[in-house]
């Protein structure tokens, strides 16, 4: 049930549900794992289903961006290997800052190797297992990759969640519908998998993926921008509201925010579209 309650600046056109379960509906009751619940709680508190794809080249620029948009996003997605001045010491400080903003940290590493090597790759120079709350993986090498990644977190006494790539947003990708179905069939049954990556540029594909996935896992979608259509180098974009209405639980937005003239205003807008979609979706009983 949606209960009318407090309102925050910028969201006064929407009533504020009292409990996360009001707005997440079956997704909340069907997902009791720590990563899914943490994400849904933070998204509820911030009224934002936005994950910032923070694809900037220096720790200083990343820090400034997170300070600017932190209140309007629920998660922070990184590609550690594109940061020119990455170093362990400053990275620890940056992750602390992300936690001060109550953000889940997501390394979009797209692991793809055999289980044992994936476990070792969670360590290494970047030591992803020590700071990432979630990571992406392809299932191309078979199901043991999920156990390998979970063992990686286990090696440092942490817990985390894996998002399997079931679809991609880029033009001409090779993740065919039959491959998507196989990924979903396996991932649905796996405790270490808390969700799937879907193609945010195409609401029909998201809806098909949602039908396959059911309620018990989340769908996170890159390829989202208020300016829909083709992006740079084969990227494609769909609208944030449409993606949520089609069944996406998290909008991964990069250039729509970090290349905007006013990143803070842009983040706020994406948050509003996403929250409006979630509230309307819950009213429709989805
Ligand atoms: P953009 O600037 O909003 O296009 O950034 C998209 C981000 O999402 C970028 O970090 C990609 O690595 C990431 N991404 C994607 O665009 N498409 C996919 O299918 C997957 C990840 Br998986």
């Amino acid at each position: 049930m949606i209960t009318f309650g407090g309102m925050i600046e910028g969201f006064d056109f929407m009533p504020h549900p009292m409990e996360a379960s009001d707005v997440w509906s079956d997704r909340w009751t069907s997902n009791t794992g720590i990563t899914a619940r943490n994400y849904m709680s933070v998204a509820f508190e911030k009224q934002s289903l936005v994950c910032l794809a923070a694809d900037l080249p220096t720790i200083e620029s990343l820090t400034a961006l997170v300070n600017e948009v932190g209140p309007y996003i629920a998660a922070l997605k990184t590609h550690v290997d594109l940061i020119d001045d990455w170093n362990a010491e400053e990275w620890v400080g940056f992750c602390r800052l992300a936690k001060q903003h109550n953000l889940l940290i997501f390394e979009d590493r797209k692991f793809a190797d055999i289980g044992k090597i994936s476990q070792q790759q969670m360590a290494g120079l970047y030591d992803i297992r020590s700071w990432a709350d979630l990571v992406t993986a392809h299932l191309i090498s078979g199901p043991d990759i999920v156990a390998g990644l979970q063992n990686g977190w286990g090696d440092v006494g942490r817990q985390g969640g894996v998002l399997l790539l079931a679809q991609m947003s880029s033009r001409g990708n090779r993740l065919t519908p039959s491959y998507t179905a196989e990924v979903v069939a396996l991932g649905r049954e796996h405790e270490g998998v808390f969700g799937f990556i879907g193609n945010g540029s195409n609401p029909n594909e998201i809806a098909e993926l949602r039908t396959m996935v059911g309620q018990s896992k989340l769908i996170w979608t890159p390829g989202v921008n208020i300016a829909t259509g083709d992006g740079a180098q084969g990227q494609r974009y769909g609208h944030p509201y449409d993606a949520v209405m089609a069944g996406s639980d998290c909008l991964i937005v990069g250039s729509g925010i970090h290349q905007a003239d006013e990143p803070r205003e842009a983040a706020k807008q994406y948050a509003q579209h996403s929250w409006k979609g979630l509230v309307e979706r819950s009213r429709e009983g989805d």
Side-chain angles (χ1 to χ4, degrees):
M1 191 187 92
I2 306 290
T3 316
F4 287 79
M7 294 169 181
I8 67 167
E9 188 202 340
F11 293 99
D12 49 354
F13 59 96
M14 293 308 295
H16 184 31
M18 296 304 287
E19 306 279 350
S21 55
D22 290 336
V23 80
W24 284 109
S25 308
D26 288 350
R27 207 85 87 240
W28 180 265
T29 39
S30 306
N31 287 277
T32 52
I34 183 167
T35 310
R37 278 289 177 94
N38 280 349
Y39 167 69
M40 288 189 282
S41 302
V42 173
F44 170 74
E45 280 166 34
K46 292 187 162 181
Q47 299 193 347
S48 172
L49 278 64
V50 177
C51 170
L52 170 69
D55 300 329
L56 295 182
T58 63
I59 296 184
E60 192 184 354
S61 56
L62 286 167
T63 301
L65 180 64
V66 167
N67 275 329
E68 216 180 324
V69 307
Y72 300 106
I73 60 174
L76 173 71
K77 186 176 88 66
T78 56
H79 282 300
V80 267
D81 52 359
L82 63 68
I83 302 167
D84 294 335
D85 61 350
W86 192 90
N87 65 87
E89 199 184 321
E90 281 183 89
W91 193 249
V92 169
F94 177 67
C95 291
R96 199 176 302 125
L97 174 74
K99 289 297 161 193
Q100 283 163 4
H101 283 285
N102 199 12
L103 301 172
L104 273 88
I105 307 179
F106 166 14
E107 169 58 21
D108 188 9
R109 171 64 177 72
K110 300 182 182 72
F111 290 94
D113 214 314
I114 60 171
K116 179 172 169 290
I117 296 301
S118 298
Q119 179 174 351
Q120 289 177 259
Q121 288 173 324
M122 284 286 271
L125 175 66
Y126 296 117
D127 205 25
I128 294 168
R129 61 190 180 171
S130 294
W131 49 266
D133 302 306
L134 55 140
V135 298
T136 37
H138 283 286
L139 203 59
I140 199 81
S141 63
D144 293 291
I145 189 167
V146 181
L149 296 171
Q150 289 296 341
N151 288 342
W153 277 303
D155 288 340
V156 289
R158 296 186 73 233
Q159 285 183 291
V162 175
L163 283 172
L164 289 178
L165 275 78
Q167 298 174 336
M168 290 189 76
S169 65
S170 46
R171 182 179 60 195
N173 72 73
R174 309 311 300 149
L175 279 62
T176 59
S178 64
Y179 176 77
T180 299
E182 285 179 45
V183 170
V184 171
L186 192 134
R188 269 177 62 139
E189 304 308 322
H190 207 304
E191 233 184 277
V193 174
F194 86 100
F196 299 95
I197 292 287
N199 174 13
S201 74
N202 185 329
N204 293 334
E205 283 187 27
I206 301 172
E208 280 165 25
L209 182 60
R210 175 52 70 196
T211 303
M212 271 186 252
V213 168
Q215 291 292 327
S216 66
K217 302 281 178 187
L218 304 188
I219 296 176
W220 287 37
T221 55
V224 171
N225 199 299
I226 289 168
T228 58
D230 289 338
Q233 296 179 46
Q235 176 68 301
R236 300 171 297 183
Y237 291 116
H239 194 274
Y241 173 80
D242 296 340
V244 176
M245 290 307 278
S248 171
D249 301 308
C250 180
L251 306 174
I252 298 171
V253 184
S255 34
I257 295 175
H258 63 71
Q259 293 305 305
D261 291 340
E262 293 182 54
R264 193 181 172 88
E265 278 309 306
K268 200 167 158 181
Q269 261 190 36
Y270 281 91
Q272 288 176 342
H273 283 297
S274 70
W275 184 250
K276 183 171 182 277
L278 187 66
V279 171
E280 289 184 11
R281 193 172 88 183
S282 70
R283 283 194 187 130
E284 288 174 10
D286 291 340

